């Protein structure tokens, strides 16, 4: 198939992708009474942010001094266990939404239930469900059991909005990556980073993504908050990260200079696109 232009690609995303969370209305969740566990306001109704920041956890954001710029956005998205405390100068301190993969909810070392890191803003969890999106199969055998801690958390902190992404949304993203890539990509879900970018494109007028495409500071340091070196963090192994990045770079509306110096890509939100 012919290579889509940036505009065509953006419109394709807008047309094909629907932000969707588990709402408790479908089996097996309906019969398990999940409607009373999920927040009353659906995530896709919390849209209408003007300008948003997506802050990846890449080591390359260290020494960027991007903190002020990041906090100037109306909403800021962060990932997994990425802290702000002690790193404000480079990553800012505002957290509006945090995306966590199912390992975060289940790994005892995260203390997910009472770690203050997770008590700020809106939480959005996801788990690599099988492609078939059979919710019953997934519920019985998730990659990591996020369902039990989710319900516990909702009962303990009912005031904090907390959602589980619908596997359909995750695999819609994978389909788009594969359809627009020459090679056959690995049949694993996209990284939290790619999921977060598309979530923010669904909720914001404009999205500024930091250090998803590496800046001049590119490094093998995996995360800005720990001393662990692995180039696969930036280029991918399990997740089709390299292909996610090529796709995002193709749609960049920002300045070449900002990509190079800040590792910043600017994307229009779906509501701001004329297709
Ligand atoms: O590493 P992780 O993601 O928490 O990073 C969040 C997102 O930032 C982007 N990133 C990160 C590092 C880097 N050098 N370059 C980047 O571009 C990626 O888009 C990434 O998604 C995940 O996707 O959920 C991931 O989570 C970790 C791990 O589970 C958590 O950090 C919790 O410890 C995964 N690592 C392992 O399973 C060992 C990782 O594969 C992806």
């Amino acid at each position: 198939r012919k290579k889509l232009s940036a505009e065509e690609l953006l419109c394709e995303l807008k047309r094909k992708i629907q932000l969707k969370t588990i709402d408790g209305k479908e089996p097996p969740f309906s019969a398990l009474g999940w409607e009373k566990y999920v927040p009353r306001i659906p995530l896709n109704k919390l849209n209408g942010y003007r300008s948003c920041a997506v802050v990846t956890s890449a080591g390359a954001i260290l020494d960027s001094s991007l903190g002020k710029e990041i906090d100037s956005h109306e909403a800021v998205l962060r990932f997994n266990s990425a802290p702000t405390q002690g790193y404000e100068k480079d990553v800012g301190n505002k957290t509006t939404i945090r995306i966590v993969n199912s390992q975060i909810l289940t790994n005892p070392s995260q203390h997910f239930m009472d770690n203050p890191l997770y008590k700020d803003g809106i939480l959005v969890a996801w788990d690599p469900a099988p492609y078939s999106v059979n919710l019953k199969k997934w519920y019985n055998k998730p990659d990591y059991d996020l369902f039990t801690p989710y319900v516990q958390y909702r009962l303990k902190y009912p005031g904090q909005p907390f959602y589980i992404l619908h596997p359909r949304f995750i695999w819609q993203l994978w389909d788009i990556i594969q359809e627009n890539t020459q090679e056959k990509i690995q049949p694993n879900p996209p990284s939290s980073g790619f999921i977060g970018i598309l979530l923010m494109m669904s909720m914001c007028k404009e999205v500024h993504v930091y250090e998803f495409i590496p800046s001049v500071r590119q490094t093998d340091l995996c995360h800005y908050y720990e001393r662990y070196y692995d180039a696969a963090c930036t280029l991918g192994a399990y997740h089709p990260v390299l292909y996610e990045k090529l796709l995002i770079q193709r749609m960049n509306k920002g300045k070449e200079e900002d990509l190079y110096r800040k590792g910043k890509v600017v994307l229009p939100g779906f509501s701001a696109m004329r297709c």
Side-chain angles (χ1 to χ4, degrees):
R1 124 161 187 197
K2 91 170 211 307
K3 192 166 174 182
L4 300 183
S5 69
E7 297 304 324
E8 289 170 329
L9 200 46
L10 284 163
C11 285
E12 183 95 339
L13 288 174
K14 174 174 168 151
R15 189 164 64 82
K16 289 199 173 157
I17 288 168
Q18 282 117 354
L19 177 58
K20 191 171 163 56
T21 53
I22 296 299
D23 59 9
K25 294 193 173 94
E26 290 172 279
F29 300 99
S30 44
L32 295 162
W34 269 57
E35 258 186 289
K36 62 176 188 292
Y37 300 139
V38 304
R40 215 163 312 147
I41 305 171
L43 180 60
N44 58 14
K45 290 271 146 56
L46 304 177
N47 55 10
Y49 294 113
R50 266 182 343 270
S51 157
C52 296
V54 173
V55 185
T56 73
S57 307
I61 207 162
L62 274 184
D63 289 325
S64 67
S65 300
L66 282 166
K68 275 214 181 80
E69 172 173 333
I70 288 169
D71 281 346
S72 74
H73 292 279
E74 188 180 356
V76 177
L77 175 78
R78 301 185 192 275
F79 297 99
N80 295 321
S81 58
T84 54
Q85 208 179 14
Y87 302 93
E88 292 87 348
K89 187 169 100 10
D90 296 328
V91 305
N93 66 14
K94 185 194 277 189
T95 304
T96 316
I97 309 181
R98 184 179 290 274
I99 297 197
V100 291
N101 67 41
S102 48
Q103 295 181 48
I104 296 286
L105 281 78
T106 50
N107 186 332
S109 75
Q110 290 295 333
H111 301 284
F112 178 70
M113 212 43 98
D114 30 50
N115 188 340
L117 184 64
Y118 302 111
K119 300 294 162 287
D120 248 2
I122 303 167
L123 285 174
V124 179
W126 71 278
D127 176 72
Y131 187 86
S132 64
V133 194
N134 178 325
L135 294 184
K136 185 151 187 278
K137 265 199 198 145
W138 176 46
Y139 182 82
N140 288 327
K141 205 172 171 296
D143 205 19
Y144 292 87
D145 176 23
L146 74 174
F147 301 116
T148 313
Y150 175 80
V151 170
Q152 279 172 4
Y153 197 102
R154 286 294 298 153
L155 294 172
K156 189 160 175 194
Y157 306 102
Q160 186 181 11
F162 185 6
Y163 302 88
I164 294 179
L165 287 174
H166 199 292
R168 190 177 311 144
F169 173 68
I170 312 251
W171 289 110
Q172 277 173 353
L173 304 186
W174 186 90
D175 285 340
I176 295 259
I177 301 168
Q178 181 61 90
E179 284 165 16
N180 293 284
T181 300
Q182 293 285 322
E183 288 95 309
K184 236 176 145 98
I185 65 171
Q186 55 270 57
N188 300 325
S191 72
S192 296
F194 191 79
I195 294 172
I197 294 169
L198 273 296
L199 183 132
M200 289 312 241
M201 287 174 80
S202 312
M203 298 179 67
C204 311
K205 280 233 161 71
E206 186 167 270
V207 184
H208 295 232
V209 184
Y210 295 92
E211 287 293 356
F212 188 61
I213 311 298
S215 67
V216 62
R217 290 178 302 275
Q218 173 160 16
T219 163
D220 284 353
L221 180 64
C222 181
H223 297 128
Y224 66 81
Y225 52 87
E226 60 186 4
R227 287 212 187 122
Y228 168 68
Y229 292 82
D230 185 353
C233 295
T234 304
L235 299 172
Y238 170 80
H239 301 292
V241 177
L242 181 62
Y243 305 103
E244 300 170 11
K245 294 191 179 196
L246 290 170
L247 208 57
I248 293 298
Q249 189 163 3
R250 265 167 70 186
M251 298 184 287
N252 183 19
K253 298 267 188 210
K255 295 192 213 122
E256 203 50 44
E257 161 95 3
D258 281 349
L259 184 57
Y260 182 74
R261 299 228 171 269
K262 303 180 179 173
K264 176 165 94 165
V265 161
V266 182
L267 301 166
F270 294 154
S271 66
M273 291 179 198
R274 295 283 156 263
C275 292

